[in-house]
Amino acid sequence: MKNIIYVFVLLFSFAISGCEKNVTVVIPASSTEIVVEGYIEPGKSPIVLLTRSLPFFGEINVNNIFQNTVTGAIVIVDDGIQEDTLTQFGNFGIYTSSTMLGQIGRTYSLKVIAGDQTVSAVTTLPPAIPFDSLWWKVDGTRDSLGFLWAHLTDPDTLGNSYRIFMQRINHYTYGQELGKQKDSTFTTPPGSVFEDRYINGKSFDISFPRGSFQNSTKEEDDNKERLLYKRGDTIVVKFCTIDRAHFEFWRTEESQISSNGNPFGSPQPVHSNIVGGLGIWGGYTPTYDTVIAR
C-alpha cells in the first residue's frame, strides 16, 4: 500500500509540473509626473522642491534625483492677501520666497507651471497646540534606556492632527557635557502622525520612540538602543499641528513604508494633496521644547 501511495504521489507531481507555465508580466510605461515636496511654517518662507517621478523599476540614487529636478518652473504661492512667485535657488529644483512669511490661520494655495504641466494644492496653518509637559522615562527594567513621554490636552474641536519631530543636540554623562551632537537634524519616529478621532477633548499621556535616519549605519540603530533614548540625551522636540490632508499624506506614507516587503501587508496608496501630480504641500505650526533624559 505504501508503494502504491508513493507511485501515485510521484505521478501526481509529474502531472502538476507538466502544467507549469512561465508567465511574463508586462508593466506598461507610466507617464512622468511632477513630484512636489513643499512646506510652510509661521514666520518662515515657503520652500518647494520639484522633481519628476521615476519608473517603478528605475534606480533611485542621488544622481538620479538631481537629474530629475524641475528647473525653470513658475511656482506661485497665494495666501488670499498676497501672491508671490517663488525664486529658484541655485541650479536645482528648489524654490523659495524673500517676501512671503507664513501666518497662523491663513490658507496657502500653491500653483506650479512646468512646461505643459500644471499642478496645484492647498494647505493651512492651524493654531498651535503644545504639549502640557514632556519627560523621559526608563523602559521597564532597563537602567539607562527609555522613551520620550508627553502629556497632551486635545481641544474639544474634532479634526486636530499632529506630527512630531525630535533631535538629540548633545550628550551628557554623569553631569558632564560632552558636546557631541548625535543627530544632524530633526528625525521622525515610527508613527509620527496622529489625529484626535478617538481622543477629542481628552487629556492623556503618550510615549514616542526614537526616530532614526533611513538606512542609518549607526551602531545604536541596530542594537538594543534602537528606538530608545539613552540617559543623558538632550532632546529637542518639535511638535506640529497640521491640517487633515497633510495628516493623511503622512499616515498613508508611513503605512506604506511599514508594510514594504511584508507578504501579508496590504497595498496602501499614498494620499497626496497635489492635484495633477504627486507629493505634498503642507503647513506646519510647531512648538518647541527641550528634554534632558535623566
Side-chain angles (χ1 to χ4, degrees), residues 229-277:
Y229 287 101
K230 192 172 185 178
R231 189 184 300 277
D233 283 341
T234 301
I235 311 156
V236 176
V237 179
K238 179 182 179 181
F239 184 58
C240 302
T241 52
I242 58 179
D243 65 21
R244 179 72 189 187
H246 196 176
F247 160 77
E248 282 295 333
F249 172 82
W250 288 114
R251 179 187 69 81
T252 53
E253 191 267 353
E254 290 183 345
S255 177
Q256 186 183 79
I257 289 177
S258 65
S259 62
N260 185 30
N262 181 0
F264 303 105
S266 57
Q268 175 65 72
V270 176
H271 294 177
S272 170
N273 68 345
I274 306 297
V275 178

Side-chain angles (χ1 to χ4, degrees), residues 61-117:
N61 54 48
V62 175
N63 289 332
N64 268 351
I65 294 175
F66 282 150
Q67 290 170 2
N68 282 276
T69 57
V70 179
T71 58
I74 300 173
V75 182
I76 302 170
V77 176
D78 188 341
D79 65 0
I81 298 175
Q82 175 188 6
E83 180 181 286
D84 190 21
T85 300
L86 307 191
T87 303
Q88 181 178 316
F89 181 79
N91 297 321
F92 303 108
I94 301 174
Y95 300 79
T96 189
S97 171
S98 59
T99 58
M100 177 176 284
L101 300 176
Q103 294 190 41
I104 294 175
R106 291 192 180 179
T107 297
Y108 292 86
S109 300
L110 174 71
K111 184 177 182 180
V112 175
I113 304 172
D116 60 352
Q117 292 180 288

Side-chain angles (χ1 to χ4, degrees), residues 20 47 77 110 134 162 181 204 240 267 288:
E20 290 182 357
I47 297 179
V77 176
L110 174 71
L134 283 155
Y162 308 95
Q181 182 167 303
F204 58 95
C240 302
Y288 294 87

Side-chain angles (χ1 to χ4, degrees), residues 137-180:
K137 185 171 69 174
V138 169
D139 178 47
T141 59
R142 305 173 191 264
D143 62 349
S144 62
L145 298 172
F147 295 108
L148 181 73
W149 284 80
H151 187 82
L152 175 66
T153 300
D154 180 74
D156 191 16
T157 51
L158 190 62
N160 298 305
S161 302
Y162 308 95
R163 193 174 194 218
I164 188 170
F165 301 80
M166 295 96 114
Q167 180 183 12
R168 295 170 299 173
I169 57 173
N170 51 21
H171 184 68
Y172 289 80
T173 300
Y174 304 112
Q176 179 182 5
E177 183 177 358
L178 301 180
K180 179 182 179 182

